[in-house]
Amino acid sequence: IREHFSELLRKSGYTGFVHLKFRRMYDGTANALALPDGTVVVTDGLIQLAADDDQIMAVLAHELGHLHHRHSLRQLLQNSFTLLLVTSITGDTSAVGNVAAALPLAVLSAKYSRDHEREADAFALALLMDAGIPPGAFIQIMTRIEQDTRRIYQNSPPPFLSTHPPTDERLDTYRKAIDAEKSF
């Protein structure tokens, strides 16, 4: 996985620091995430869930998209701005702890997160195609992750609070890319 990731990183053109770390999740959660310092964390659940290295690289390409677009830093700045906005509207800094005051913050943050996910997906799609990894690998692993997440958590949050766009929406872009490849 490290060798394949090194090649993917080289093809991505991302020149910032990146360190790949593997972590055990005792609930079996399949996930990966990019931290602001360039650390990309991959859970053991993701490794176990993936059918092959292409599926793992598809997820890691998505995480490289987050690093490339500096989403963690942007999210921090946007959350700070939103907090200031809520505080200025309510006129009370203590009101931020109030659920009514925090709800707009959560909704706006979720919207920013969904936009970041779409941006990371687009980056990943281009990178996968450049690296010769079939875009279908992303479709396959995302489908598996969604099924596994439903198994673990039973219920998902309401769509307007979700930090990710609906999976079908995300995968539609990849399906269109596969269809376009077939038409050539």
Side-chain angles (χ1 to χ4, degrees), residues 52-96:
D52 56 35
D53 285 354
D54 282 351
Q55 290 181 9
I56 296 168
M57 292 307 112
V59 173
L60 293 177
H62 172 87
E63 297 309 323
L64 285 173
H66 284 307
L67 291 176
H68 173 80
H69 292 292
R70 300 174 185 251
H71 287 154
S72 296
L73 179 60
R74 287 172 54 194
Q75 190 72 32
L76 178 65
L77 293 172
Q78 288 165 337
N79 286 348
S80 297
F81 172 76
T82 305
L83 182 61
L84 284 170
L85 181 64
V86 169
T87 302
S88 69
I89 290 171
T90 63
D92 182 7
T93 58
S94 66
V96 175

Side-chain angles (χ1 to χ4, degrees), residues 2 21 25 46-47 55 60 93 128 134 140-141 152 154 156 161-162 181:
R2 287 187 191 280
K21 287 189 175 188
M25 295 296 289
L46 179 67
I47 303 300
Q55 290 181 9
L60 293 177
T93 58
L128 292 174
Q140 294 162 348
I141 192 63
I152 292 172
Q154 302 297 315
S156 57
L161 288 179
S162 177
E181 275 186 337

Side-chain angles (χ1 to χ4, degrees), residues 10-57:
R10 186 185 65 73
K11 287 196 180 283
S12 76
Y14 181 72
T15 58
F17 171 81
V18 177
H19 179 68
L20 188 60
K21 287 189 175 188
F22 298 93
R23 292 290 180 254
R24 176 174 303 281
M25 295 296 289
Y26 293 99
D27 67 355
T29 302
N31 205 353
L33 60 120
L35 302 175
D37 70 350
T39 301
V40 176
V41 178
V42 179
T43 68
D44 58 336
L46 179 67
I47 303 300
Q48 293 168 357
L49 192 64
D52 56 35
D53 285 354
D54 282 351
Q55 290 181 9
I56 296 168
M57 292 307 112

